[in-house]
Structure formats: C-alpha cells, structure tokens
Amino acid sequence: MVTGFPVALAAWTLLLAPLAAAAGIPLLGLHRKRLSASLAIGGLLVPFACACWLLLHTLQGSLHLPLEVKVSWLLLPDLAIPFGVLIDPLSLLMSLIVTGVGSAIFIYSTGYMAHDSGYSRYFTMLSLFAFSMLTIVLANNWLELFIGWELVGFCSYALIGHWFEKPQAADAGKKAFLVNRVADFGFMLGILALWAHSSPLAAERTLNYQLLQTRLPSLLQSGWLSHETLVLTGLLIFCGVLGKSAQMPLHVWLPDAMEGPTPVSALIHAATMVAAGVYMLCRNFWLFQGAPAVLETIAWVGGATAFFSAALAVVEPDLKRILAYSTLSQLGYMVMAVGLGGHVAGMYHLTTHAFFKALLFLAAGSVIHGTRRQNIRELGGLRRSMPWTSATFFIGALALCGFPALSGFFSKDEILVLAHEHNALLYWIGSVTAGLTAFYATRAWCVAFLGQAPEHLHAHESPPVMLIPLVLLSVLSIVGGYLGIPAFLGEPAGAFHWDVAATSLAAIATGAGLAWLIYRRKAIAAEAIARRCAWLHRLLVNRYFFDDVYTWYVEQVQQRLIAGACALFERFIIIGLAVNGLAWLTQLAGRAIRRVQTGRVQGYVLGFCCGIIALLYLAGRF
C-alpha cells in the first residue's frame, strides 16, 4: 500500500508546481525566453508525472481512492475551512487531461510564439492558468473551487488580450471577463445559499464536498432544506456553467476569444476554462440529482446550445471561429448528458473532446503559422504544401464528426444513447447536430485543404516542435475511445445500440456528403442556397443577433436609462441636496449666529428680557 508522505507530496506537487513556475518566470526568466519556456513546461510535466504515478498505483490497487490531504486555512469562530486536495477517479482523470494536453500545448507554444515580444509574460500567464484550473479540479470545498474559478477568468482575460495593442484583442478579453462576471454573480449566490443551508447550527455549516454530500439528504428529510430552496440553489450554481462553459445565452464571449494566440484558444477550448463548468457539474452531480427540474433545465440548455452553435459554424468563414462554434456545440452535448443523468458520459466526451479539439486548434494554428491567413476562403491546396498539418487536421475532423472507431464516435454515441432512452426530442436534436457537425467539418477541410490554392498563397510546413504535439494528439484522438474511461469512473460498459449508431452515422454521412457536393464537387452552388434561404442565412451570419441585443441593452438600458437615472440622482439628490444643501444650511446657520453675536449690549439685554418673558409664559401655562 502507498500511503503517507509520498502520496501527500505527489498531491501537493500536482497542484502547486504550475504556481511555482508562474512565480519563477518573472523572477528568473523575464528576459530569458528559453528559461521561461523551460520553467513553464517543467511546471506542467512534473504534475503530469505525479498524476501518472497516482494513476499507476490506483490501477495496481496499492492506492485506494478517494484520498484527501489538507492544511488549516480559514479559522474563524463559526467558520473553519481547510485548504485541501481531493484525489478521486474524477479529479485524477481531469488532472491527467489538464496536465497532459496542456503540456502538449505548452511545447507547441515555443514554436508558435517564438518571435513574440511578450514571450515570458505569455508563459507566466499560461502557468498561472494551469494552476487555476488544477485548483478547480483538485479543490475539496466550494470556496477553494471559487478561487480557482475566478483565477481562471482573470487568466483568460489576460491571455485572450495578450496582443493588447490590437483593439479587437483587448475588447475580446474584456468581453470574456465581463460576461463571466455576470454568470459568476449567480454562481456565488448559489455557493452562499449552499453554505447557509448546510446545517441548522452556524458553527457546523460547511462548504466541504464530502460533508455536504452526506448531510443534504438528511437535511431534506428533516425539512431544514426545502426542495424549492434546493432547486433555486441548483439553478444559481448552474449560472456559473452558463458563463464558463459558454452556454446560451452567455455564449457570446467564446467566438471573440479567437483574437488571442491560437495555443491559448486550444488551451481554453480543450483542456481548461470551458471544461471547468462541465467538470463542476460532474463533480457535484449528487447535488442536482435531488432536483429533477434543474436537471431538465440543464439538459435543454445543453441541447439548444449544441444545435444552434453547430448551425453558426455552417456559415462561418474564419477557421478558428468554426472551431470555436464547434466547441460550443460539443460543450452543449456534455451539458445535455449531465442533464439527462449521465455525468459519466459527459466526462467521457469531455476527455475525448480535449484530445481532438486541442488537435484541431493546434492544426489551425499551424495553418496560420504557415500561411498568415485563417479565412478558409483565402486558403486552399494545403494538403500538398502542409502534409503533416493536413493529415492531423483530417484525423481531428473525423474524430469530431464521430467517425466509427475514433474517440469521438464512442463518447458522442454514449450521449445519444442517453437521450434516446430519456428524451426523444433531445435525441433527434443531438442527431441532427451530429449531421451539422459533419457538414461544417467537411466544409472546412474541402475549402482549406482540398480547394484551389489562391494566387500569392505561400504555405510552408511548421517546425517539428509544433508538429510533434499534433502527432501525439492525433494518436490520442484515435485511441481515446479504447482507454476504458467510463469503467475508470465506475460505470460498467453498456450494450452497443446499433439503432442509435446507425442513425448517427446516417446523419454524419448526410452532412459530410452534402458538404462534399457543395464545396468539393461544386454540384450545388452555396451562393444559390444562401439566396434561397436569405432570412436564415442573415440570421446565422448575424449570430442570431445576440450581440446586437446585448449592445442595445448596454447602450439604451444600462447607459442611458440606468446610468442616466443614477447621474440625475447623484447631481440633484446627492450633490445638489445632500452636499450643497448641507453647505447652504451651514452657511445660513452661520449668518444667523453672526447676527446674534453683534457685540451690542442693548441687543443682549433685549434677548435676555425676551428669554425671561418666554420662561414666565411657559411657567404659567404648565
């Protein structure tokens, strides 16, 4: 049996090594590019080794999970919260994803960002980002998770706006930050409500996951925690998922996040930030099990996000934005799975998605690095000029579509099986979304890699430091479905559903075939379809007008109405009445007192006589 110090050391190293790298780069490597990169990569490879060590001993049976290591942190009269690390199959799997896929992205970044002026700053924020995500993953209580949650938001703001000289990048960073603040306000209220109802006695209230999981059922039975309160708390906590995992209607920040460096997009979209919301749902699935209404809301939000985001990718010309909408759609699948009661299926798809989506983004970054373009209409013929990038992108696209035997096929079909068993309408929405996924993935492949190369397009293959991570992620995208992830999370393998697989494959074949006819064979004119469905095309091109509605709300409601009313209140009530009015009263009182204190004896005698008369009058009355 492995216990004691080695396990505690591995657990704390897994969490704190990226933080040490984030602190070490500004101190030691601010003007040393190679040292900065080495510290950042080492700060993630060491935790990856620790996670692999813990996994190995778990599989061998010499380490029993869950285990928890903690130290004293907040000690107040009615509040004691330790800072701890919780290792169980779920957090161990997520740690392997964050550190493993993250390491590949870090190594890739050394080539992609080689000539960037903010090289050391970039790797500092990457390391802090990794620490923030691991804090979410390994937290043993809600407060620790919330700290990591907010740190991830800050790091995403800094990394999306890394090229802050560009107004679009700076605006995209602020947009991501502000949208997530709206969501996190509700999330924070949910955590506070959970703490307030964790015990009738103030001294026994807690935010610890394991304690809450054992207490809440008895509190529900005793009546201290009502079902309505549990539903409201669950909905408030789900607000955090709407922001972090970019679910509708708070999805608008994610496409604009493409203004950041492409490795940042891969990190955010594959292994870290957007996965945090899904992971939080899976980590605390026990909380939502007692509130079926919350689960149903989660399922429908996920299904709607999956379908509507996939439709947006159909008309998007920017390669990175196509992948961004794809991420929104796949996150919708994961959230829908949790809402349907399949948190293991959600984590399964989260894992495989991390492999092929990181691969797709890094391959897109290789295209940008080799062509200096990312609009697919300005690309073409890359299969010949960039063979390695082309092959790896193709593998990632097949896995994304759910091609048989690849990782995406197994995990996506797990979700469709769930929907088939629990909600027929969501099942058909998920199946149609699979067809849309195949359409936009095939469209991107045909136009950018098979299409006619435009004049003056000079493409070259990326260096080995960028290609090696692509090859490794390609392998994981192929074999990810065979790693036994559901079994590791404690769910036995179910029977294969041929009818669901057949429907899914039919949808994929239809979507891919239609895209092939339009964009490769040119048998159908895309422009003609756009003209025939002008209203739908306009709706999709304008992203369902979400940004326009939010812009109107900010400008008309917040700035003109609310801010205008606040300005008037400040001007006339606070400044005019409270501040200036008080000054006027003081001045008036001063003038009155000045008239009394004249220095004339006859005035004082008159006042004295008036006072005596008033006293005599009052004495006579009472």
Side-chain angles (χ1 to χ4, degrees), residues 329-370:
S329 182
Q330 299 305 305
L331 288 169
Y333 271 118
M334 301 171 208
V335 171
M336 183 176 75
V338 176
L340 292 170
H343 64 290
V344 171
M347 274 303 299
Y348 188 14
H349 196 54
L350 186 154
T351 305
T352 60
H353 176 263
F355 300 150
F356 61 73
K357 187 51 62 67
L359 170 61
L360 286 169
F361 265 110
L362 295 187
S366 181
V367 169
I368 297 169
H369 183 269

Short mmCIF file of all heavy atoms in Angstrom, two decimals, residues 329-370:
data_model
loop_
_atom_site.label_atom_id
_atom_site.label_comp_id
_atom_site.label_asym_id
_atom_site.label_seq_id
_atom_site.Cartn_x
_atom_site.Cartn_y
_atom_site.Cartn_z
N SER A 329 -20.81 23.77 -29.45
CA SER A 329 -21.72 22.68 -29.75
C SER A 329 -21.37 21.43 -28.94
O SER A 329 -22.26 20.79 -28.36
CB SER A 329 -21.68 22.37 -31.25
OG SER A 329 -22.58 21.34 -31.58
N GLN A 330 -20.09 21.09 -28.87
CA GLN A 330 -19.69 19.89 -28.14
C GLN A 330 -19.88 20.07 -26.64
O GLN A 330 -20.24 19.12 -25.93
CB GLN A 330 -18.22 19.56 -28.45
CG GLN A 330 -17.95 19.27 -29.92
CD GLN A 330 -18.83 18.17 -30.49
OE1 GLN A 330 -18.88 17.06 -29.94
NE2 GLN A 330 -19.54 18.47 -31.56
N LEU A 331 -19.67 21.27 -26.14
CA LEU A 331 -19.97 21.54 -24.73
C LEU A 331 -21.46 21.37 -24.47
O LEU A 331 -21.87 20.89 -23.40
CB LEU A 331 -19.54 22.96 -24.36
CG LEU A 331 -18.04 23.22 -24.25
CD1 LEU A 331 -17.77 24.71 -24.15
CD2 LEU A 331 -17.47 22.51 -23.02
N GLY A 332 -22.28 21.75 -25.44
CA GLY A 332 -23.71 21.54 -25.31
C GLY A 332 -24.05 20.06 -25.16
O GLY A 332 -24.90 19.68 -24.35
N TYR A 333 -23.36 19.22 -25.94
CA TYR A 333 -23.54 17.77 -25.79
C TYR A 333 -23.22 17.32 -24.36
O TYR A 333 -23.96 16.54 -23.74
CB TYR A 333 -22.60 17.03 -26.74
CG TYR A 333 -23.16 16.74 -28.12
CD1 TYR A 333 -22.57 17.27 -29.26
CD2 TYR A 333 -24.26 15.89 -28.28
CE1 TYR A 333 -23.06 16.99 -30.52
CE2 TYR A 333 -24.75 15.61 -29.54
CZ TYR A 333 -24.15 16.16 -30.67
OH TYR A 333 -24.65 15.88 -31.91
N MET A 334 -22.10 17.80 -23.83
CA MET A 334 -21.68 17.39 -22.48
C MET A 334 -22.68 17.84 -21.43
O MET A 334 -23.05 17.07 -20.53
CB MET A 334 -20.30 17.97 -22.16
CG MET A 334 -19.19 17.57 -23.10
SD MET A 334 -17.69 18.52 -22.75
CE MET A 334 -16.89 18.53 -24.36
N VAL A 335 -23.11 19.09 -21.52
CA VAL A 335 -24.08 19.61 -20.55
C VAL A 335 -25.40 18.86 -20.67
O VAL A 335 -26.04 18.53 -19.67
CB VAL A 335 -24.27 21.13 -20.77
CG1 VAL A 335 -25.42 21.66 -19.93
CG2 VAL A 335 -22.99 21.88 -20.43
N MET A 336 -25.81 18.57 -21.90
CA MET A 336 -27.04 17.80 -22.11
C MET A 336 -26.93 16.42 -21.46
O MET A 336 -27.88 15.93 -20.85
CB MET A 336 -27.32 17.66 -23.60
CG MET A 336 -28.61 16.94 -23.92
SD MET A 336 -28.97 16.88 -25.70
CE MET A 336 -27.81 15.62 -26.23
N ALA A 337 -25.75 15.79 -21.58
CA ALA A 337 -25.55 14.48 -20.98
C ALA A 337 -25.73 14.54 -19.47
O ALA A 337 -26.40 13.67 -18.87
CB ALA A 337 -24.15 13.96 -21.32
N VAL A 338 -25.16 15.56 -18.83
CA VAL A 338 -25.32 15.69 -17.37
C VAL A 338 -26.78 15.90 -17.02
O VAL A 338 -27.31 15.31 -16.07
CB VAL A 338 -24.45 16.85 -16.84
CG1 VAL A 338 -24.68 17.05 -15.35
CG2 VAL A 338 -22.97 16.59 -17.11
N GLY A 339 -27.46 16.74 -17.79
CA GLY A 339 -28.88 16.98 -17.53
C GLY A 339 -29.74 15.74 -17.69
O GLY A 339 -30.78 15.61 -17.05
N LEU A 340 -29.30 14.82 -18.54
CA LEU A 340 -30.04 13.57 -18.74
C LEU A 340 -29.65 12.51 -17.73
O LEU A 340 -30.12 11.36 -17.83
CB LEU A 340 -29.79 13.05 -20.16
CG LEU A 340 -30.39 13.90 -21.29
CD1 LEU A 340 -29.89 13.42 -22.64
CD2 LEU A 340 -31.91 13.86 -21.25
N GLY A 341 -28.80 12.89 -16.77
CA GLY A 341 -28.41 11.95 -15.72
C GLY A 341 -27.15 11.18 -16.00
O GLY A 341 -26.82 10.24 -15.26
N GLY A 342 -26.43 11.54 -17.05
CA GLY A 342 -25.22 10.79 -17.43
C GLY A 342 -23.96 11.60 -17.23
O GLY A 342 -23.31 11.98 -18.22
N HIS A 343 -23.59 11.86 -15.99
CA HIS A 343 -22.38 12.65 -15.77
C HIS A 343 -21.14 11.90 -16.22
O HIS A 343 -20.15 12.53 -16.64
CB HIS A 343 -22.27 13.04 -14.29
CG HIS A 343 -22.10 11.88 -13.36
ND1 HIS A 343 -23.09 10.97 -13.10
CD2 HIS A 343 -21.02 11.48 -12.63
CE1 HIS A 343 -22.65 10.05 -12.25
NE2 HIS A 343 -21.41 10.34 -11.95
N VAL A 344 -21.16 10.57 -16.19
CA VAL A 344 -20.01 9.81 -16.69
C VAL A 344 -19.88 9.97 -18.20
O VAL A 344 -18.78 10.15 -18.74
CB VAL A 344 -20.14 8.32 -16.29
CG1 VAL A 344 -19.06 7.48 -16.99
CG2 VAL A 344 -20.02 8.17 -14.79
N ALA A 345 -21.01 9.93 -18.90
CA ALA A 345 -20.99 10.15 -20.35
C ALA A 345 -20.48 11.56 -20.67
O ALA A 345 -19.74 11.76 -21.65
CB ALA A 345 -22.38 9.94 -20.93
N GLY A 346 -20.88 12.54 -19.85
CA GLY A 346 -20.39 13.90 -20.06
C GLY A 346 -18.88 14.00 -19.89
O GLY A 346 -18.20 14.64 -20.69
N MET A 347 -18.35 13.35 -18.84
CA MET A 347 -16.90 13.36 -18.63
C MET A 347 -16.17 12.57 -19.71
O MET A 347 -15.06 12.92 -20.11
CB MET A 347 -16.57 12.78 -17.26
CG MET A 347 -16.61 13.77 -16.13
SD MET A 347 -15.52 15.21 -16.32
CE MET A 347 -13.92 14.43 -16.41
N TYR A 348 -16.78 11.50 -20.19
CA TYR A 348 -16.19 10.71 -21.28
C TYR A 348 -16.02 11.59 -22.52
O TYR A 348 -14.94 11.62 -23.12
CB TYR A 348 -17.12 9.53 -21.56
CG TYR A 348 -16.59 8.49 -22.52
CD1 TYR A 348 -15.24 8.44 -22.89
CD2 TYR A 348 -17.44 7.53 -23.06
CE1 TYR A 348 -14.77 7.48 -23.76
CE2 TYR A 348 -16.98 6.56 -23.93
CZ TYR A 348 -15.64 6.54 -24.28
OH TYR A 348 -15.18 5.58 -25.14
N HIS A 349 -17.06 12.32 -22.88
CA HIS A 349 -16.96 13.17 -24.06
C HIS A 349 -16.03 14.36 -23.80
O HIS A 349 -15.33 14.81 -24.72
CB HIS A 349 -18.34 13.66 -24.49
CG HIS A 349 -18.37 14.22 -25.87
ND1 HIS A 349 -17.92 13.55 -26.98
CD2 HIS A 349 -18.79 15.43 -26.34
CE1 HIS A 349 -18.06 14.28 -28.06
NE2 HIS A 349 -18.59 15.45 -27.69
N LEU A 350 -16.01 14.86 -22.58
CA LEU A 350 -15.07 15.93 -22.25
C LEU A 350 -13.63 15.47 -22.49
O LEU A 350 -12.80 16.22 -23.02
CB LEU A 350 -15.26 16.36 -20.79
CG LEU A 350 -14.46 17.56 -20.28
CD1 LEU A 350 -15.19 18.23 -19.12
CD2 LEU A 350 -13.06 17.18 -19.82
N THR A 351 -13.34 14.22 -22.12
CA THR A 351 -11.98 13.70 -22.27
C THR A 351 -11.60 13.54 -23.73
O THR A 351 -10.54 14.03 -24.17
CB THR A 351 -11.87 12.35 -21.55
OG1 THR A 351 -12.26 12.50 -20.18
CG2 THR A 351 -10.44 11.84 -21.60
N THR A 352 -12.44 12.88 -24.50
CA THR A 352 -12.10 12.68 -25.92
C THR A 352 -12.10 14.01 -26.67
O THR A 352 -11.27 14.23 -27.56
CB THR A 352 -13.10 11.71 -26.57
OG1 THR A 352 -14.43 12.25 -26.49
CG2 THR A 352 -13.06 10.35 -25.89
N HIS A 353 -13.01 14.89 -26.29
CA HIS A 353 -13.06 16.21 -26.93
C HIS A 353 -11.77 16.99 -26.67
O HIS A 353 -11.29 17.73 -27.54
CB HIS A 353 -14.27 17.00 -26.41
CG HIS A 353 -14.36 18.39 -26.92
ND1 HIS A 353 -13.90 19.48 -26.21
CD2 HIS A 353 -14.85 18.88 -28.08
CE1 HIS A 353 -14.12 20.58 -26.91
NE2 HIS A 353 -14.69 20.26 -28.04
N ALA A 354 -11.20 16.84 -25.48
CA ALA A 354 -9.94 17.52 -25.18
C ALA A 354 -8.86 17.09 -26.16
O ALA A 354 -8.04 17.91 -26.60
CB ALA A 354 -9.51 17.22 -23.75
N PHE A 355 -8.85 15.81 -26.54
CA PHE A 355 -7.84 15.31 -27.47
C PHE A 355 -8.04 15.90 -28.87
O PHE A 355 -7.13 16.53 -29.42
CB PHE A 355 -7.89 13.78 -27.55
CG PHE A 355 -7.64 13.08 -26.24
CD1 PHE A 355 -8.22 11.86 -25.96
CD2 PHE A 355 -6.83 13.66 -25.27
CE1 PHE A 355 -8.00 11.20 -24.76
CE2 PHE A 355 -6.60 13.02 -24.06
CZ PHE A 355 -7.18 11.79 -23.80
N PHE A 356 -9.23 15.68 -29.44
CA PHE A 356 -9.37 16.09 -30.84
C PHE A 356 -9.58 17.58 -31.03
O PHE A 356 -9.24 18.13 -32.07
CB PHE A 356 -10.46 15.27 -31.57
CG PHE A 356 -11.85 15.37 -31.03
CD1 PHE A 356 -12.62 16.50 -31.21
CD2 PHE A 356 -12.43 14.27 -30.39
CE1 PHE A 356 -13.92 16.57 -30.75
CE2 PHE A 356 -13.74 14.33 -29.93
CZ PHE A 356 -14.49 15.48 -30.11
N LYS A 357 -10.11 18.28 -30.00
CA LYS A 357 -10.27 19.72 -30.19
C LYS A 357 -8.94 20.44 -30.02
O LYS A 357 -8.65 21.42 -30.73
CB LYS A 357 -11.32 20.27 -29.21
CG LYS A 357 -11.69 21.74 -29.44
CD LYS A 357 -12.05 22.05 -30.88
CE LYS A 357 -13.25 21.30 -31.40
NZ LYS A 357 -14.52 21.66 -30.79
N ALA A 358 -8.09 19.98 -29.07
CA ALA A 358 -6.75 20.55 -28.99
C ALA A 358 -6.00 20.29 -30.28
O ALA A 358 -5.28 21.18 -30.80
CB ALA A 358 -5.99 19.92 -27.81
N LEU A 359 -6.15 19.10 -30.84
CA LEU A 359 -5.52 18.77 -32.12
C LEU A 359 -5.99 19.71 -33.22
O LEU A 359 -5.17 20.25 -34.00
CB LEU A 359 -5.84 17.32 -32.48
CG LEU A 359 -5.47 16.86 -33.88
CD1 LEU A 359 -3.97 16.96 -34.11
CD2 LEU A 359 -5.96 15.43 -34.12
N LEU A 360 -7.28 19.95 -33.32
CA LEU A 360 -7.82 20.81 -34.38
C LEU A 360 -7.34 22.24 -34.23
O LEU A 360 -6.97 22.90 -35.22
CB LEU A 360 -9.35 20.75 -34.37
CG LEU A 360 -9.96 19.45 -34.92
CD1 LEU A 360 -11.45 19.40 -34.60
CD2 LEU A 360 -9.74 19.36 -36.42
N PHE A 361 -7.33 22.76 -33.02
CA PHE A 361 -6.89 24.14 -32.82
C PHE A 361 -5.39 24.29 -33.12
O PHE A 361 -4.96 25.27 -33.74
CB PHE A 361 -7.19 24.61 -31.40
CG PHE A 361 -8.49 25.34 -31.29
CD1 PHE A 361 -9.57 24.78 -30.64
CD2 PHE A 361 -8.65 26.60 -31.85
CE1 PHE A 361 -10.78 25.45 -30.54
CE2 PHE A 361 -9.85 27.28 -31.77
CZ PHE A 361 -10.92 26.70 -31.11
N LEU A 362 -4.60 23.32 -32.67
CA LEU A 362 -3.18 23.42 -32.93
C LEU A 362 -2.89 23.25 -34.41
O LEU A 362 -1.96 23.88 -34.95
CB LEU A 362 -2.41 22.38 -32.11
CG LEU A 362 -2.48 22.56 -30.59
CD1 LEU A 362 -1.55 21.57 -29.89
CD2 LEU A 362 -2.13 23.99 -30.17
N ALA A 363 -3.66 22.41 -35.09
CA ALA A 363 -3.51 22.29 -36.54
C ALA A 363 -3.92 23.59 -37.23
O ALA A 363 -3.27 24.03 -38.20
CB ALA A 363 -4.35 21.12 -37.05
N ALA A 364 -4.98 24.23 -36.74
CA ALA A 364 -5.36 25.53 -37.29
C ALA A 364 -4.26 26.55 -37.04
O ALA A 364 -3.96 27.39 -37.91
CB ALA A 364 -6.67 25.99 -36.65
N GLY A 365 -3.63 26.50 -35.86
CA GLY A 365 -2.51 27.38 -35.59
C GLY A 365 -1.35 27.12 -36.53
O GLY A 365 -0.64 28.05 -36.96
N SER A 366 -1.13 25.85 -36.87
CA SER A 366 -0.08 25.51 -37.84
C SER A 366 -0.39 26.11 -39.21
O SER A 366 0.51 26.60 -39.90
CB SER A 366 0.06 23.99 -37.93
OG SER A 366 1.07 23.63 -38.83
N VAL A 367 -1.68 26.08 -39.59
CA VAL A 367 -2.09 26.70 -40.85
C VAL A 367 -1.82 28.20 -40.82
O VAL A 367 -1.27 28.78 -41.77
CB VAL A 367 -3.59 26.42 -41.11
CG1 VAL A 367 -4.10 27.28 -42.27
CG2 VAL A 367 -3.83 24.95 -41.39
N ILE A 368 -2.18 28.84 -39.73
CA ILE A 368 -1.95 30.29 -39.61
C ILE A 368 -0.46 30.60 -39.61
O ILE A 368 0.00 31.56 -40.24
CB ILE A 368 -2.62 30.81 -38.32
CG1 ILE A 368 -4.14 30.62 -38.40
CG2 ILE A 368 -2.29 32.28 -38.09
CD1 ILE A 368 -4.86 30.85 -37.10
N HIS A 369 0.32 29.76 -38.91
CA HIS A 369 1.78 29.95 -38.87
C HIS A 369 2.40 29.79 -40.26
O HIS A 369 3.34 30.51 -40.61
CB HIS A 369 2.39 28.93 -37.91
CG HIS A 369 3.86 29.07 -37.73
ND1 HIS A 369 4.77 28.39 -38.50
CD2 HIS A 369 4.60 29.81 -36.85
CE1 HIS A 369 6.00 28.69 -38.12
NE2 HIS A 369 5.92 29.56 -37.12
N GLY A 370 1.85 28.87 -41.05
CA GLY A 370 2.43 28.59 -42.35
C GLY A 370 1.90 29.43 -43.48
O GLY A 370 2.50 29.47 -44.57
#
